[in-house]
């Protein structure tokens, strides 16, 4: 498989791991965080989730594109 696809897969996996860690932290400590911190972490998780989905779509597109060559 092409290097750029592997790089996107690596980036996606790293982002999923970061998302998991942030989500776990936010869930465990939500009562200790103020409302603003909780809100900002939820927003960060939403953006990260959207980015993960975009990367997955790019990966799927790249794989199809490379298969057609």
């Amino acid at each position: 498989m092409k290097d750029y696809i592997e790089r996107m897969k690596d980036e996606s996996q790293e982002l999923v791991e970061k998302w998991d860690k942030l989500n776990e932290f936010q869930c465990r400590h939500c009562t200790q965080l103020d409302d603003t911190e909780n809100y900002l972490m939820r927003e960060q998780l939403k953006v990260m989730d959207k980015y993960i989905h975009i990367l997955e779509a790019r990966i799927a597109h790249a794989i199809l594109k490379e298969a057609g060559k």
Side-chain angles (χ1 to χ4, degrees), residues 8-60:
M8 285 192 293
K9 286 181 177 182
D10 290 345
E11 181 179 358
S12 179
Q13 183 57 42
E14 289 171 8
L15 190 56
V16 166
E17 290 170 9
K18 289 179 182 182
W19 187 95
D20 287 341
K21 288 178 183 176
L22 180 60
N23 187 54
E24 182 180 334
F25 177 85
Q26 200 268 335
C27 288
R28 286 181 190 245
H29 300 286
C30 64
T31 58
Q32 298 155 344
L33 302 170
D34 65 36
D35 290 343
T36 300
E37 288 171 318
N38 271 309
Y39 169 77
L40 292 171
M41 282 188 188
R42 283 192 309 273
E43 290 301 303
Q44 183 178 354
L45 287 165
K46 287 179 195 176
V47 171
M48 291 169 78
D49 188 56
K50 196 169 201 172
Y51 187 26
I52 291 166
H53 286 112
I54 291 167
L55 273 173
E56 288 171 349
R58 287 186 62 212
I59 292 164

